[in-house]
Amino acid sequence: MNRITETVIEADPKLPVIRMTREFEATPEQLLRAHTDPALFARWVGPDALTTRIEEWDARTGGSWRYTSVHDGTEYRFHGCFHEVRADRIVQTFTYEGDPDGVALETLWFEDLGDGRTRLRAQSLVDSFEGRDAWLRSGMEVGVDEGYAKLDRMLADGSV
Amino acid sequence: MNRITETVIEADPKLPVIRMTREFEATPEQLLRAHTDPALFARWVGPDALTTRIEEWDARTGGSWRYTSVHDGTEYRFHGCFHEVRADRIVQTFTYEGDPDGVALETLWFEDLGDGRTRLRAQSLVDSFEGRDAWLRSGMEVGVDEGYAKLDRMLADGSV
C-alpha cells in the first residue's frame, strides 16, 4: 500500500497563496469534527511544545473563534471568524495578534477518498507576496507536521 | 475648492485585488456608522434600482451579516462575517449566494482628512484573477457609484 502521510506545502507562483495537502486515515466527518470540536482541536493544533487554550469557539457559518497558545509561559493569541462551515469545506479568517493588521482567508476542503481515507486540502490567501513568503520562512511547517501527527494519533486511538 | 467625489476603481496588476478610493464629506465616525448601522447601510448600499433587506446583522469583531437585495421581484442574497470592526478599519468576508463557492476578503479603511472629510479606501481580495476580472466586468461600478451617491445625500441631509 502506498500511503502518503507527509504534508505537501506549496507557494503558488502567481497568487499570494500557500497550499497544503495531507491525507488522513479518517472519514470526512471525522476531519470536520477534528476542526470544529474545540476540545479536539485544542489537542492537536500546532507544534508539540505549545499548549492551546480555546477562548471563544462557535464553529458554524457566521460564528467566530479565538485561542491562546502557550510556550514556556509566553502566550500567542489568534482569532478569526467562520465564513462558512459545511460538510466538505470550512472557510475562515485568521489573524495572529502579534501582527494585528495581518489577515489570511483560509479554506479547508475535505475530499473523501473512500476506504476511510480523506484528503485535506488547505489554502491560505493573503494580500501580499512578502507576507506570504515571510510566513513560509517562519518555520510554520514544523507546527503543521507536528500538529497533523498528533491528529493521526488521535484518529488511531479513537479520540475523534 | 478641489473636491474629489468620484470613485477610483483599480485592479492590481500583480494581486487578485480590486481597490476603490472615494472621499466623503463626513467624519470617520460617520462613515463607520454608515457601514455598521444596519438601517443606515440598507438605505445606501447598491444601485438605485435595488431595495435591500437586512436578514442578520452583528457588526462587531467576530459577528456576521446577511442581506437580500430585491430588483423587480428577483432576490439577490449576500452573506459574510466581520473579522474585525474598529474605528479606522473593517475587515469582513463577502459571498454572493448566486456564486456560493466564491469568497472575497474585504478591507475598508477610514482615513481622516481633517475638516470633516474622510477618505474611504476599500480592497477586495479573491483567490483568482479570473474571478476578480469577471467581477470588474459585471458592471459593479454602477452599484458602487449609485450607492455612494445615496450615502452623500444621507450625509448632507443629516441622516448619518
Side-chain angles (χ1 to χ4, degrees), chain A residues 10 13 16-17 20 22 25 32 35 45 49-50 63 67 79 81 83-85 87 98 110 130 134 142 155:
Chain A
E10 298 172 307
V17 158
M20 302 196 296
R22 174 72 149 72
E25 300 277 343
L32 179 68
H35 285 83
V45 72
L50 267 70
Y67 62 77
H79 75 269
C81 60
H83 175 76
E84 183 178 46
V85 177
F110 307 114
E130 296 74 13
V142 175
L155 289 161

Side-chain angles (χ1 to χ4, degrees), chain A residues 81 83 93 95 101 123 127, chain B residues 81 83 86 93 95 123 127:
Chain A
C81 60
H83 175 76
T93 59
T95 284
D101 285 350
Q123 168 180 296
D127 70 354
Chain B
C81 59
H83 175 76
R86 68 184 198 205
T93 60
T95 284
Q123 168 180 296
D127 70 356

Side-chain angles (χ1 to χ4, degrees), chain A:
Chain A
M1 272 192 304
N2 183 19
R3 296 295 196 209
I4 302 169
T5 56
E6 77 174 321
T7 307
V8 178
I9 301 179
E10 298 172 307
D12 190 290
K14 299 202 168 159
L15 294 166
V17 158
I18 298 172
R19 291 201 185 80
M20 302 196 296
T21 307
R22 174 72 149 72
E23 295 182 11
F24 290 91
E25 300 277 343
T27 63
E29 292 76 16
Q30 284 176 298
L31 276 197
L32 179 68
R33 197 151 61 235
H35 285 83
T36 54
D37 180 301
L40 295 176
F41 183 77
R43 281 177 58 190
W44 69 261
V45 72
D48 292 340
L50 267 70
T51 304
T52 293
R53 181 175 76 236
I54 306 289
E55 314 283 2
E56 294 176 26
W57 194 266
D58 183 10
R60 57 174 184 84
T61 297
S64 62
W65 61 271
R66 183 180 298 271
Y67 62 77
T68 302
S69 293
V70 186
H71 179 234
D72 269 349
T74 304
E75 298 197 331
Y76 304 88
R77 297 169 193 275
F78 306 87
H79 75 269
C81 60
F82 289 105
H83 175 76
E84 183 178 46
V85 177
R86 66 185 199 204
D88 64 340
R89 190 177 91 152
I90 295 174
V91 182
Q92 62 187 60
T93 59
F94 177 96
T95 284
Y96 163 50
E97 296 183 9
D99 175 24
D101 285 350
V103 186
L105 182 65
E106 298 189 334
T107 308
L108 310 175
W109 291 270
F110 307 114
E111 291 181 5
D112 194 349
L113 302 175
D115 246 350
R117 291 183 61 77
T118 300
R119 181 179 298 127
L120 171 67
R121 290 193 302 116
Q123 168 180 296
S124 188
L125 169 69
V126 294
D127 70 354
S128 85
F129 287 96
E130 296 74 13
R132 188 272 309 267
D133 295 342
W135 180 239
L136 279 172
R137 282 193 308 267
S138 72
M140 50 86 79
E141 68 279 8
V142 175
V144 169
D145 285 338
E146 292 185 357
Y148 288 155
K150 281 182 276 182
L151 178 52
D152 274 342
R153 294 192 291 275
M154 290 169 60
L155 289 161
D157 75 12
S159 298
V160 184

